[in-house]
Amino acid sequence: MTMFILASLFVVGWVAVAIVGTQVYFLGEQSKPIHERNWNSESFEAIAVSVTGTEADYRTRVPGYRV
């Protein structure tokens, strides 16, 4: 019984860390400078919105490289 409880805690903890880590990654990616070729990446934005529940604020987001 004790092993089952420990295994369950491990699995629940792992899932929680994976969910929080994924949200942190996408929130960070939404806020840092972006290369011009990726500025209108609809696939990334769709995934980021579904994971974080927020859209990128393009008023504060700046291009990473300027030509």
Side-chain angles (χ1 to χ4, degrees):
M1 183 67 171
T2 304
M3 282 304 272
F4 176 74
I5 293 171
L6 288 175
S8 297
L9 286 173
F10 178 76
V11 170
V12 168
W14 185 84
V15 169
V17 167
I19 290 170
V20 170
T22 302
Q23 288 180 340
V24 168
Y25 170 77
F26 278 104
L27 284 171
E29 288 295 315
Q30 285 178 317
S31 63
K32 71 181 193 179
I34 185 170
H35 195 280
E36 188 175 343
R37 71 174 176 261
N38 297 327
W39 189 265
N40 293 320
S41 176
E42 293 178 15
S43 60
F44 174 81
E45 288 301 320
I47 294 170
V49 168
S50 68
V51 169
T52 63
T54 60
E55 294 188 20
D57 185 3
Y58 287 100
R59 294 172 296 174
T60 60
R61 199 159 188 197
V62 296
Y65 305 98
R66 296 188 188 233
V67 180

